[in-house]
Amino acid sequence: MPKNSKVTQREHSSEHVTESVADLLALEEPVDYKQSVLNVAGEAGGKQKAAEEELAEDRPAWNSKLQYILAQIGFSVGLGNIWRFPYLCQKNGGGAYLVPYLVLLIIIGIPLFFLELAVGQRIRRGSIGVWHYVCPRLGGIGFSSCIVCLFVGLYYNVIIGWSVFYFFKSFQYPLPWSECPAVRNGTVSVVEAECEKSSATTYFWYREALDISNSISESGGLNWKMTLCLLVAWSIVGMAVVKGIQSSGKVMYFSSLFPYVVLACFLVRGLLLRGAIDGILHMFTPKLDKMLDPQVWREAATQVFFALGLGFGGVIAFSSYNKQDNNCHFDAALVSLINFFTSVLATLVVFAVLGFKANIMNEKCVVENAEKILGYLNSNVLSRDLIPPHVNFSHLTTKDYTEMYNVIMTVKEDRFSTLGLNPCLLEDELNKSVQGTGLAFIAFTEAMTHFPASPFWSVMFFLMLINLGLGSMIGTMAGITTPIIDTFKVPREMFTVGCCIFAFFVGLLFVQRSGNYFVTMFDDYSATLPLTVIVILENVAVAWIYGTKKFMQELTEMLGFRPYRFYFYMWKFVSPLCMAVLTTASIIQLGVTPPGYSAWIKEEAAERYLSFPGWAMALLVTLIVVATLPIPVVFVLRHFHLLSDGSNTLSVSYKKGRMMKDLSNLEENDETRFILSKVPSEAPSPMPTHRSYLGPGSTSPLDTSGNPNGRYGSGYLLASTPESEL
């Protein structure tokens, strides 16, 4: 290139330069359009791989395959694997629940996970760019994914904040939630009434940690301790994602692997606890009649759906940083199976610990009721003849108590209820369903108070929760930042920091004294229905609009082998049908069960289910509407041509000696000269007015190619779906 050209003069300048296509390419060497990826006639490009590498030059990439796999595992394996899956397993038939879960994982989970991995890797954009490319009129899917990620990130990081609070409180012996606090009443110390009515761990959670109000309508002001913990949580997340995958990828080595170390340690320790086998046997004892309940299948489908992070955009964002020849089919199966393995491992740990806790609580029940019986014997309410001769009250076993209880119940049948005796059955303790925060911050913490070296295990447990939450938050933030940065070209660091600051201030809603109730609202309703709609439309956009055959052909070209026809039928028929049934069931469930929440009533020291007030219902509906609104809005705007989809736009700009893609309108003659170089006689037919699918044998419309002998690459963006197919 001549030294006096504007490109050469500003090659090393930081100033952004934009010149006309005619000026820029007048000095370039002629392009052989038959071998160029800019060939609009659809002929096979001989330099497609080189063009893909050119496109990827400015896009970050994973340092290794291991780093990428750990990122996907960190995103998909989250807190739900620890406290949601064990609860569903206990509630829905024990080992029998694994059957519907595995079936739905195979026909819904893996195919849709593979679909998201494939489109992200093929198109190399975030969720907004991917769905704009696949079907411009459904481009709102990407915006809806970003909004759902925002909603989820707002409350999910609050849970990390709670874990941070418990983590720092764990460096004490005895643990601060091991005993009820005493309050002075004059010269006498008495146990706090709210704690005495409930338990030490329950009191610590609701009063010391959350300082919770009696209802969602009572704000009660900010909880300064949790506000500080939320600030710490957002600072950790911000530092992990500020540099994109260059920083988050390194964090994933620890945040993805450390939870498995802790789970393995807890499993070994749990199996050595007295009563652990009782808990595990209770978990794996199948209740086969439960498999006939449609509700079990609906909850299994919902768990599969959320366990893999479908619809959030994080899966697409992570896979967009891969090379195009990466075997994403293997990745989909590997990550899905690791996710399932983690859920089963966590369930083993949880039920081993809960089996130990159930034995402790059952022995406590036996002691308390034995004291009642001794009192009735001393006051002659009960005759000593009712007590079997071999029973020794100083060494009373559960078996002896059960025998004594049955005798008393048989003899005193009419007056038995007035005695206030409990059967103290281990099965009853094991059947107490605990999920979510109740499992992590009440049941598990109570069990750990009985462990030798309990502070150590508590520190490890809450550090594991922090890392599980951090891995999921990194993926959630990627679902927001990657598509926005790709689409609007905003500076990554500035945008990421701004997101974290904005989310912290909005997140103050969740650290009021009533904040836990808002967490429940967002967790139950802000994502469930919108994400289901998003994934259905993703499936429809690829399978029915873009075309399953076309997509399979592109996958064959990208992977180097043809995926099983199993995926063709799953994407085309089975998965959309299953997702439609799930959506219908979710809507019916929402109508049958009025939205509500469990409120902690201080005076009663107990939970009470309350319905949301009118203003909270309006907020709930607003969350669902706002999350799904971009889909119809973008569809209408593009259907009536009120919003450009970039089908006939093209420009070339460069900065610091490197070509970059941009969108701006050019004259048709300039566009033709750009594509065909300076040889009009070699021109193929003019560019069609609609965007045409180039086929698997031609170059992806997202590819760019540089002049093989020049310094600068050049490229343009074409969408791919003909309007006639819409």
Side-chain angles (χ1 to χ4, degrees), residues 78-92 97 295 298-300 302-303 306 343 347 350 434-436 439 523-524:
L79 298 174
N81 298 76
I82 303 297
W83 64 37
R84 178 69 177 166
F85 187 90
Y87 161 74
L88 291 175
C89 204
Q90 178 188 28
K91 175 186 174 185
N92 295 321
Y97 174 74
Q295 179 72 5
R298 187 189 75 83
E299 292 188 346
T302 304
Q303 179 63 16
F306 285 102
S343 297
T347 304
V350 167
V434 183
Q435 68 162 323
L439 174 63
D523 187 31
D524 290 343

Side-chain angles (χ1 to χ4, degrees), residues 646-714:
S647 54
N648 288 316
T649 56
L650 176 69
S651 80
V652 181
S653 62
Y654 58 90
K655 185 176 183 180
K656 291 184 179 179
R658 180 171 292 179
M659 299 298 295
M660 301 176 64
K661 294 188 302 182
D662 192 13
L663 296 178
S664 62
N665 292 320
L666 294 182
E667 296 294 334
E668 184 176 352
N669 292 336
D670 286 343
E671 187 173 316
T672 304
R673 284 186 62 194
F674 172 67
I675 297 170
L676 306 180
S677 186
K678 297 184 291 184
V679 190
S681 61
E682 296 181 3
S685 59
M687 180 180 291
T689 56
H690 64 275
R691 288 155 291 114
S692 60
Y693 171 74
L694 301 183
S698 61
T699 303
S700 168
L702 286 176
D703 292 335
T704 61
S705 177
N707 187 331
N709 298 320
R711 178 185 296 273
Y712 305 100
S714 60

